[in-house]
Amino acid sequence: MDDEDYKVSSELYTEFNYVTNLKPTLNKDNVVSKFPFTYPPKAAEIDSDGDLLVQRKSKANGIIEIEHSESTSLDLVGLQVWRGAFLLADWLLHNGENLPKNVPILELGSGTGLTSIVAAMYAPVICTDVDKGEILNLIKTNITRNKNITKYPVKVTEIDFTKDSLNPEVETILRQIQIVLAADVVYDDQLTQSFVKTMELILSYPHSRTIYIALEKRFVFTIADCDTVAPCYEYFLECINKLRSVTITEIRLDFPQYFQYDRVKELVLWKISNNK
């Protein structure tokens, strides 16, 4: 069976009822989902007399609307929403106030654009993916849907992991970028190899930068191993451990959860920084 014939659906859709009656803008076969979240409490403020200002409301509620596919072939899974995007979005909400101000954030393999939308609450964003299956137009559509959430501009452009170079638009701004994001980009060994190659290229440019990667280990039982293993994830670890002049750290997932999803034990968050 070809990849084009085999359909997959995100586990998210069975966890909660996100789907609405809103009409899709880009593709009539898509659906529009609402993903609720809470804003983290603001940092304590001090008035001019040095007194602590009492926060009347520690949290606020928000909703992100995302147009997406309900099922796709394996090569177009970016048209769906996956758990890793929410994990990375939670991390952004928890750390947003400490992110460098007015410094662009780059997202790789942005999919539906959900994580980039959250990032744009705190900084300008360069939101990228491969130009396939109308995915760049889908991102633009979702950014427009959520103008009430974003505070900074989001630029949508292509990065194709299979290419040996970045597009000139990204190269021009790369020196300014300190933080790079990626979620749910490991599900095929060939793509993983291309993704790690792209990471290596980005980390090779002058100046220090850090890549945060949210993934979900996907376990399968194999007769050869007589065990349940996560081959795509293991191959990803094998690839990143070959990177030179980088520091690799697994981030503890003890930060708060702001989005509504199952934060399963298979989710992981990695931090890879160049040593410059």
Side-chain angles (χ1 to χ4, degrees), residues 30-178:
N30 286 344
V31 297
V32 179
S33 295
K34 286 188 176 182
F35 299 105
F37 68 101
T38 56
Y39 292 94
K42 290 185 177 180
E45 298 180 4
I46 306 297
D47 66 15
S48 58
D49 296 324
D51 297 322
L52 181 67
L53 293 174
V54 177
Q55 297 292 332
R56 298 299 179 187
K57 188 175 183 181
S58 61
K59 292 184 179 180
N61 295 321
I63 290 177
I64 291 182
E65 292 183 9
I66 296 291
E67 177 178 338
H68 62 92
S69 297
E70 289 187 290
S71 65
T72 61
S73 56
L74 191 61
D75 63 328
L76 292 175
V77 291
L79 297 172
Q80 300 188 59
V81 186
W82 301 87
R83 287 195 191 102
F86 288 115
L87 180 65
L88 205 49
D90 280 343
W91 181 87
L92 283 165
L93 287 169
H94 185 59
N95 294 281
E97 297 299 330
N98 299 318
L99 295 176
K101 304 304 179 187
N102 297 311
V103 177
I105 292 173
L106 172 65
E107 187 182 12
L108 305 173
S110 303
T112 62
L114 185 146
T115 303
S116 280
I117 290 166
V118 175
M121 294 168 59
Y122 302 102
V125 177
I126 311 299
C127 181
T128 71
D129 212 315
V130 63
D131 191 7
K132 184 178 183 180
E134 290 195 307
I135 198 164
L136 296 185
N137 287 332
L138 181 65
I139 293 170
K140 293 174 183 177
T141 295
N142 285 328
I143 288 168
T144 299
R145 276 187 177 272
N146 293 279
K147 285 290 188 182
N148 60 316
I149 293 292
T150 57
K151 297 180 181 178
Y152 293 87
V154 181
K155 175 66 177 178
V156 179
T157 189
E158 183 180 36
I159 288 184
D160 184 346
F161 298 157
T162 66
K163 299 291 180 63
D164 292 327
S165 61
L166 303 175
N167 77 48
E169 190 172 19
V170 175
E171 278 190 312
T172 300
I173 201 170
L174 196 58
R175 289 177 181 270
Q176 303 175 40
I177 290 172
Q178 299 176 25

Side-chain angles (χ1 to χ4, degrees), residues 16-33:
F16 299 96
N17 183 17
Y18 303 109
V19 178
T20 69
N21 292 322
L22 296 173
K23 298 294 184 182
T25 302
L26 185 65
N27 187 325
K28 64 180 178 58
D29 295 324
N30 286 344
V31 297
V32 179
S33 295

Side-chain angles (χ1 to χ4, degrees), residues 222-262:
T222 66
I223 296 176
D225 297 301
C226 290
D227 196 6
T228 302
V229 295
C232 291
Y233 179 68
E234 294 299 328
Y235 185 67
F236 166 75
L237 294 182
E238 181 183 329
C239 288
I240 63 172
N241 283 323
K242 293 178 181 177
L243 295 174
R244 297 181 178 181
S245 301
V246 299
T247 301
I248 303 173
T249 309
E250 184 174 358
I251 297 177
R252 291 171 57 91
L253 303 187
D254 53 359
F255 49 87
Q257 180 172 334
Y258 301 107
F259 277 89
Q260 187 182 56
Y261 67 103
D262 286 344

Side-chain angles (χ1 to χ4, degrees), residues 167-210:
N167 77 48
E169 190 172 19
V170 175
E171 278 190 312
T172 300
I173 201 170
L174 196 58
R175 289 177 181 270
Q176 303 175 40
I177 290 172
Q178 299 176 25
I179 293 175
V180 181
L181 308 173
D184 304 304
V185 292
V186 172
Y187 51 87
D188 170 85
D189 285 357
Q190 186 175 357
L191 179 64
T192 297
Q193 191 173 18
S194 298
F195 168 64
V196 173
K197 180 193 67 178
T198 300
M199 282 202 307
E200 188 173 21
L201 177 62
I202 289 171
L203 292 170
S204 71
Y205 278 75
H207 306 303
S208 299
R209 61 183 53 86
T210 299

